[in-house]
């Protein structure tokens, strides 16, 4: 049987079983208390509760955030609440305790500061109305925890159970609680067990009159034989409690008082009822309830409890009453010798401390006791006589035997070393037995031993540093944080110094001080007490501008300098306060973690003062339904409150949503003359959450309107500007109502209807259930007019395969006379399922055997219900999956798991199976269609429609080739789709066509689930990719790209592995403007994507500038030569809609509407060309359709020609061995003057011979492998009319970037900087985007993007070198002090925007490298380059298949690991492990890196090393990529 070892564990388990909600108060969200580790463990393992069948909600709260405030909302909604906490929160919670005492809440309190806890915290709140129970041993902690919960249920009152955990630390383990006993004691099986009635109380601090009450039914018998049935009541409702509910609900409370041995006598219940009243719960009621509970426990366990426990001889003359830690005294008394003064002493402890039962105390003492020593372990003594001493004196001297009451002597109990307990007891009894005993004698040390660092102290979470750093960046030396956590304040504790109250007071004093100083300066300027007249004029000038921070701070250094030179006494006096010449930016910080009150009541004081104080209030509460519903947490509405106040600047910001808006808000707040409040969102569940988690939570809250971004400046109207600026798309209801009341905003909304529509939209207005019902009813109405049996088809699909199959099945069913309805599972109202006659369910497999996104809600509901009766429903299931997706034997069950689970569950609910579940396998010859072809005929047979004649021919599925040929040269219906404002999306066919225009439609996958839950369409937006030949941009183009990203995108730019700019988050309404902005910079996006030749890449670092210039010129010639000729791009994106012009020019080049090279269907698949300049293979020349290796002339200075590689390509499909990556094959050498024609002819051979039937086999690499290299070469030569020469010699030394400064032969300087994974953005730690923007304003050369996603500042003359270096340093752009592993890494975008991503990549790789860098340092590998790449899917955008070590996403958090790529980019790697998580990755990499450091040969690269030691086999060509892998993939069956 399981055992329990600590009091915290015992209490946590009982609280978990006995509550709906457990508030776990912790030192920090990332630091467990003695309860929380167990509570979260129970929750994680889904341990069933007794009150809440599925287990209670566990809410973690920091100790400093007024945690008991969170109890009101669940209590008022009728839930039983438990709180597990240390005693540190009790005194600050006194305002809540008096109200909470009238609710059935249980506080389990561990007394802190063990081994010498201070019990004064308990005595200080003893009059709060709570019932107080004290336990001392491990077993008592379990039993009294159960007592507390049962008592709260029965009485309706709050119960506080407290204990010293050190007292039971050495106790032997006890058995885990008996669930039947717990159920019985709580009264969960009682016929009158009930749920607590909900309350409509809303006030927090004002007494609302609620009282715990009972209904007492009095019989007509005499008082002595009276019997009561006592029922707990809610005072506000005055109604009997509801009957206990069963499934998933809660069962609480027994209403019947149990009789006990020491309760009052009872009579038969057959007596007549005379009256019934509802009255307040009294102390006598509590005594009766407690006695009944303890009687039940005693009957089952044999363990008995009394309000006061006496242990010792029955004839004892002396006794100890201890209110403190009793353990060592019990041990010492038990071991006493007959000669000891305390040998025959008794021991008294209080189990029921409040309400105090004086008569029972007197009854518990033997009549022989003459002297009692009261020991109170209280460090903070506030009265002369201790509270317990007064209680004991009152009880013993007011009873029936008061005349003969014992002598009571009080003692103050401090810390006693275990070795001195005997001596301490002797001292106590010597004082007790003396003729004139001393009262309040101190026993032991008051302070006790020095405690370890208090884990309940205040600390600023690292994640909050983002806002602190922004303040530092914006205000620099002007910044003054009044309540900085680490500030040194003489005579003040750190807690007090960091409090907003102290900070506000200090700011007022500081402002007064400066005001006096300004007056003194004005007076001094009017005197003649200076040595010269110079200071007077400067002081006058300063005094006139003292409140203008810019002018005052500009003049201040000159003023100080003149005063220093003057030397007069007055000058010296003013210089004593010289810091006041500077105008500070003064801020108060509010934080959930360490300065909570500013976000609570502190704001009111600042607003009411009208003082010019800036407040930054950091809110860390993640979005959740509970957070939205908890009205008691007022912080979310501080902004609304402040705007209603009328005199404050208010901003709501989120650094992980809009960095620019944070800067604007802080700057505006500082300029505002009056109170300013900046509400800063920083959601995290634990203080050590990763930035990725914070980012995802922020996006949800902002997107759904829970945390709108806005700025409110009440003085804007003076300038004719609106007071309110909405910086996010959506807004919450409360703020919307406020804005409707504001006249200024009303005028604004009248002027800007589009803006008004944004404001009027609030999250949650779309009711999901209503949508489902309307859709279903519409289908039903349509089907009523049809004949035939009904067939409902429900699908769950992420990639569209299951959805397409469902729709096709529906059409085929209609052709056979069935009334078919096709819906996504999550769109179907589940309650209608029992009414269906035939249900077909089709689902694909996502993640780790999970349901696709649009089927998860359906599955969650159906798997947890036992109420659906499907006995009249016939069903069939078809599942789509990949039997090779899960290579490990233990993971085989994930294959088609959703379909199998669905089949089993519906059968369990009584469904009648039409046919066995069908399994579609991607590994079959025709993929999932193989299994489906066998399954569908059986379905028609089971439905009796298999022999229908005259079925119409099905049209073939529309392919990409169909879309292209019908698009009228890439026009499609793109223009019409852009004009459609009813959706943020465009049609599926247009999504294929817009790729040719350089843009992809995407949606934010971080927000999919939440938006779906709100009934909203996905957060659609577009990615735009520029066509940037060779990756070279001018400074003016850089500035234009920066502006586009801020004005139309998500404020970031992506430097891609295709050596160009990429913008994300461009919504449809801004798409055309963004395209025009790009064209304005003399750039374009046409052919940046799609089945055409894309952006041409060129080695970026021009160490040989003339040679590099020649290469770049050739690349431009190739790019222009292969550019599509359609006018569609220009008509859609650039032409003025009001113009009649038929054609539009781009950068001065006229276009015509035909495709002489491509034809109407363009190429079978995308086509990529790259040029490498040896010795740098930094463009991965082997990885592309055409790879050109630049060859120098005999002088080694200019370009002569190219070696030509063909057939490289990276795209793969997981576990589909028909797909593979491939390195390019050498065709030979060709002169530079004709190389554009060589590229054309290669492309034309691919155009005419590439596979247009199977897009997975359509790339040039498969064409060449199908034809053979020699045949392919001959076809190209035939078109060229010339032959390739033998390849010229060349050598590659690496395929990574060369960082730092380089100088070319003309004396120009080039700096290649590290931009991790190509993401250009501003963060609090690194204002990269701002820095590059400022550099672009002064730089005279080029910006060169690298294929490894970094940036080269090119063409810096020596005269500008110091300026550029200074700016690089200022913005930290010169920092190259990274590990060589990080410098050699690369990742694709993946989540949240890429629709193909299976796992994180760009957002995760930096974290993974950080976790490996410790091992790198330990093994001396910091300077050793290892090429590591990561992608979120196998399409290979970051070219992972050439990396020495690569991680390719397979499911969220799971990656395939590949080893053995060539350091020069010349060799493919090979699968080493499949579907491994981070723990596995680190477990493999760390020992491997150590082995590499110890066993490598001189100059041996990591990829070569793993092959030499036999860890992996080399991949000699693409066709052998799947052979001899280190981990064979087994079938899933």
């Amino acid at each position: 049987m399981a055992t329990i070892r600590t009091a915290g564990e015992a209490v946590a388990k009982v609280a978990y079983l006995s509550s709906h909600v457990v508030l776990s108060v912790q030192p920090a969200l990332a630091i467990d208390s003695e309860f929380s580790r167990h509570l979260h463990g129970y929750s994680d393992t889904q341990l069933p509760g007794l009150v809440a069948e599925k287990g209670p909600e566990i809410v973690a709260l920091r100790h400093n955030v007024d945690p008991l405030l969170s109890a009101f909302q669940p209590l008022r909604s009728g839930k039983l609440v438990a709180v597990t906490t240390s005693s540190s929160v009790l005194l600050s919670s006194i305002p809540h305790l008096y109200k909470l005492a009238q609710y059935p809440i249980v506080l389990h309190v561990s007394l802190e500061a063990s081994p010498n806890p201070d019990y004064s915290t308990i005595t200080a709140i003893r009059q709060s109305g709570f019932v107080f129970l004290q336990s001392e041993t491990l077993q008592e902690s379990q039993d009294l925890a159960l007592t507390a919960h049962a008592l709260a249920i029965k009485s309706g009152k709050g119960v506080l159970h407290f204990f010293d955990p050190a007292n039971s630390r050495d106790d032997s383990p006890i058995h885990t609680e008996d669930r039947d006993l717990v159920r019985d004691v709580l009264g969960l099986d009682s016929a009158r067990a009930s749920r607590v009635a909900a309350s409509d109380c809303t006030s927090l601090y004002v007494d609302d009159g609620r009282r715990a009450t009972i209904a007492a039914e009095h019989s007509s018998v005499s008082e002595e034989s009276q019997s009561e049935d006592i029922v707990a009541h809610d005072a506000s409702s005055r109604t009997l409690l509801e009957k206990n509910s069963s499934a998933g609900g809660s069962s609480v409370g027994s209403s019947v008082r149990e009789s006990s041995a020491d309760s009052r006598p009872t009579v038969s219940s057959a007596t007549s009822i005379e009256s019934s009243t509802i009255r307040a719960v009294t102390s006598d009621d509590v005594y009766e309830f407690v006695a009944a509970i303890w009687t039940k426990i005693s009957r089952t366990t044999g363990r008995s409890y009394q309000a006061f426990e006496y242990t010792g001889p029955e004839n004892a003359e002396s006794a100890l009453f201890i209110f403190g830690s009793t353990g060592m005294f019990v041990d010492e008394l038990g071991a006493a010798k007959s000669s000891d003064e305390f040998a025959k002493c008794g021991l008294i402890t209080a189990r029921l401390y409040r309400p105090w039962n004086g008569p029972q105390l007197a009854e518990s003492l033997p009549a022989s006791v003459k002297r009692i020593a009261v020991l109170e372990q209280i460090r903070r003594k506030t009265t002369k006589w201790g509270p317990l001493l007064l209680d004991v004196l009152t009880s013993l001297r007011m009873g029936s035997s008061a005349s003969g009451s014992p002598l009571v002597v009080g003692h103050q109990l401090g810390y006693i070393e275990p070795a001195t307990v005997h001596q301490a007891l002797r001292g106590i009894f010597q004082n007790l037995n003396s003729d004139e005993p001393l009262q309040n004698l101190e026993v032991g040390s008051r302070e006790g031993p020095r405690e370890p660092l208090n884990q309940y102290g205040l600390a600023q979470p690292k994640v909050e540093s983002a806002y602190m750093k922004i303040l530092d960046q914006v205000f620099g030396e002007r910044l003054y944080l009044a309540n900085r956590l680490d500030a040194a304040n003489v005579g003040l504790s750190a807690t007090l110094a960091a409090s907003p109250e102290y900070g506000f007071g200090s700011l007022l004093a500081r402002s007064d001080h400066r005001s006096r100083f300004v007056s003194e300066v004005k007076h001094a300027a009017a005197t003649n007490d200076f040595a010269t007249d110079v200071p007077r004029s400067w002081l006058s000038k300063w005094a006139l501008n003292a409140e203008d921070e810019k002018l005052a701070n500009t003049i201040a250094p000159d003023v100080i300098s003149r005063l220093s030179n003057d030397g007069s006494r007055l000058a010296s006096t003013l210089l004593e306060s010289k810091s006041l010449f500077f105008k500070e930016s003064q801020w108060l910080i509010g934080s959930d973690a360490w300065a909570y009150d500013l976000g609570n009541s502190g704001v009111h004081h600042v607003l009411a003062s009208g003082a010019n104080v800036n407040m930054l209030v950091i809110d860390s509460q993640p979005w959740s339904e509970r957070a939205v519903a908890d009205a008691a947490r007022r912080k979310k509405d501080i902004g609304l409150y402040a705007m209603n106040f009328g005199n404050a600047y208010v901003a709501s910001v989120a650094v992980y949503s809009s960095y620019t808006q944070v800067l604007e808000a802080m700057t505006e707040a500082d300029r505002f003359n009056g109170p300013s409040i900046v509400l800063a969102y920083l959601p995290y569940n634990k203080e050590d959450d990763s930035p990725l988690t914070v980012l995802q939570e922020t996006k949800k809250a902002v997107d759904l309107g829970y945390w709108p971004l806005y700025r409110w400046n009440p003085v804007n109207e003076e300038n004719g500007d609106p007071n309110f600026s909405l910086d996010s798309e959506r807004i919450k209801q409360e703020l919307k109502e406020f804005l409707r009341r504001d006249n200024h905003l009303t005028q604004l909304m009248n002027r800007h209807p589009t803006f008004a529509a944004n404001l009027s939209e609030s999250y949650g207005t779309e009711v999901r259930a209503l949508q489902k019902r309307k859709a279903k009813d519409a289908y039903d109405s349509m089907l009523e007019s049809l004949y035939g049996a009904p067939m409902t088809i429900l699908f769950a699909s992420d990639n569209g395969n299951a959805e397409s199959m469902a729709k096709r099945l529906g059409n085929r069913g209609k052709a056979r006379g069935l009334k078919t309805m096709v819906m996504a599972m999550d769109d179907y109202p589940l309650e209608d399922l029992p009414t269906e006659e035939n249900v077909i369910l089709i689902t694909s497999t996502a993640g780790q055997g999970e349901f696709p996104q649009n089927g998860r809600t359906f599955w969650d509901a159906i798997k947890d219900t036992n109420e659906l009766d499907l006995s009249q429903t016939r069903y069939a299931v078809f599942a789509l999956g990949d039997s090779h997706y899960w290579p490990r034997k233990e993971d085989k069950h994930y294959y088609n798991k959703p379909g199998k689970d669905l089949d089993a569950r519906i059968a369990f609910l009584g469904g009648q199976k039409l046919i066995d579940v069908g399994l579609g396998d991607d590994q079959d010859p025709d993929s999932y269609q193989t299994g489906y072809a066998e399954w569908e005929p059986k379905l028609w047979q089971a439905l009796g429609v298999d022999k229908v004649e005259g079925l119409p021919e099905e049209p073939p599925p529309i392919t990409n080739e169909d879309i292209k040929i019908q698009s009228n040269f890439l026009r499609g219906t793109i223009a019409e789709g852009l004009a459609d404002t009813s959706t943020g999306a465009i049609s599926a066919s247009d999504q294929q066509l817009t790729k040719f225009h350089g843009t992809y439609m995407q949606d934010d996958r971080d927000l999919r689930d939440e938006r779906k839950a709100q009934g909203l369409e996905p957060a659609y937006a577009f990615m735009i990719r520029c066509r940037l030949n060779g990756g070279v941009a001018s400074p003016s183009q850089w500035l234009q790209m920066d502006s586009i990203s801020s004005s139309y995108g998500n404020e970031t730019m992506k430097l891609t592995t295709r050596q160009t700019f990429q913008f994300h988050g461009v919504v449809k309404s801004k798409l055309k403007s963004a395209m025009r902005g790009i064209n304005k910079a003399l750039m374009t996006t046409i052919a940046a994507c799609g089945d055409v030749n894309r952006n041409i890449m060129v080695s970026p670092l021009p160490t040989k500038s003339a040679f590099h210039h020649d290469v770049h010129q050739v690349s431009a010639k190739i790019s222009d030569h292969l550019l599509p000729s359609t006018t569609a791009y220009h008509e859609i994106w650039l032409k003025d809609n009001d113009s009649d012009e038929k054609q539009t020019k781009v950068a001065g080049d006229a276009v015509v509407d035909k495709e002489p090279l491509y034809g109407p269907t363009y190429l079978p698949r995308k086509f990529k060309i790259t040029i490498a300049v040896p010795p740098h293979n930094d463009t991965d020349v082997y990885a592309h359709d055409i790879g050109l290796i630049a060859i120098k002339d005999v002088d080694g200075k200019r370009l002569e020609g190219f070696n030509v590689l063909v057939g490289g390509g990276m795209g793969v499909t997981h576990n589909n061995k028909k797909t593979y990556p491939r390195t390019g094959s050498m065709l030979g050498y060709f002169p530079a003057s004709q190389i554009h024609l060589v590229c054309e002819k290669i492309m034309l051979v691919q155009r005419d011979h590439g596979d247009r039937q199977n897009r997975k086999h359509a790339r040039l690499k498969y064409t060449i492998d199908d034809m053979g290299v020699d045949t392919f070469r001959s076809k190209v030569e035939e078109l060229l009319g010339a032959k390739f020469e033998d390849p010229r010699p060349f050598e590659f030394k690496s395929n990574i970037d060369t960082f730092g400064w380089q100088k070319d032969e003309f004396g120009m300087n080039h700096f290649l900087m590290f931009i991790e994974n190509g993401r250009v953005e501003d963060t609090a730690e690194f204002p990269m985007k701002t820095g590059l923007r400022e550099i672009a304003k002064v730089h005279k050369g080029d910006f060169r993007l690298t294929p490894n996603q970094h940036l080269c500042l090119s063409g810096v003359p020596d005269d500008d070198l110091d300026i550029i270096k200074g700016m690089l340093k200022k913005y930290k752009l010169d920092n190259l002090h990274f590990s060589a592993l990080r410098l050699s890494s690369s990742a694709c975008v993946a989540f949240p925007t890429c629709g193909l991503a299976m796992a994180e990549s760009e957002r995760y790789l930096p974290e993974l490298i950080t976790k490996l860098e410790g091992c790198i340092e330990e093994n001396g590998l910091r300077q050793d380059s290892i090429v590591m790449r990561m992608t979120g899917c196998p399409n290979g955008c970051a070219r992972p298949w050439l990396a020495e070590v690569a991680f390719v996403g397979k499911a969220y958090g799971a990656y395939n690991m590949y080893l053995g790529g060539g350091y020069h980019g010349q060799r493919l790697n090979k699968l080493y492990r499949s579907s491994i998580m981070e723990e596995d990755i680190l477990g493999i990499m760390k020992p491997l890196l150590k082995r590499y450091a110890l066993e490598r040969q001189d100059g041996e690269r990591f990829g070569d090393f793993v092959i030499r030691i036999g860890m992996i086999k080399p991949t000699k060509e693409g066709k052998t990529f799947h052979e001899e892998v280190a981990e064979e993939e087994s079938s899933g069956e």
Side-chain angles (χ1 to χ4, degrees), residues 273-290:
I273 300 299
E274 185 176 76
S275 64
S276 177
T277 60
I278 294 177
R279 58 175 177 77
V281 175
T282 66
S283 297
D284 286 341
D285 298 324
V286 173
Y287 301 149
E288 295 243 0
F289 289 139
V290 171

Side-chain angles (χ1 to χ4, degrees), residues 727-743:
D727 299 318
S728 59
E729 295 293 325
R730 311 192 77 220
I731 196 164
K732 60 183 177 180
Q733 182 69 29
E734 297 88 347
L735 196 53
K736 179 184 69 176
E737 293 300 325
F738 168 79
L739 296 174
R740 281 179 175 169
R741 296 196 303 269
D742 186 83
N743 290 333

Side-chain angles (χ1 to χ4, degrees), residues 1330-1356:
T1330 297
L1332 290 171
R1333 180 169 60 249
E1334 295 304 311
I1335 288 173
K1337 293 176 182 178
V1338 300
H1339 180 45
K1340 300 182 181 70
D1342 294 325
F1343 287 85
R1344 294 177 181 264
L1345 285 59
T1346 83
N1348 287 315
Q1349 303 176 295
H1350 306 301
L1351 181 65
C1352 179
L1353 203 62
S1354 181
V1356 180

Side-chain angles (χ1 to χ4, degrees), residues 12-49:
K13 187 68 173 294
V14 173
Y16 184 91
L17 296 175
S18 309
S19 311
H20 297 109
V21 177
V22 180
L23 305 181
S24 174
V25 182
Q26 302 171 200
L29 299 179
I31 301 176
D32 277 322
S33 69
E34 60 193 291
F35 310 101
S36 62
R37 178 170 60 88
H38 305 292
L39 289 169
H40 294 305
Y42 304 144
S43 181
D44 291 344
T45 58
Q46 298 182 333
L47 178 73

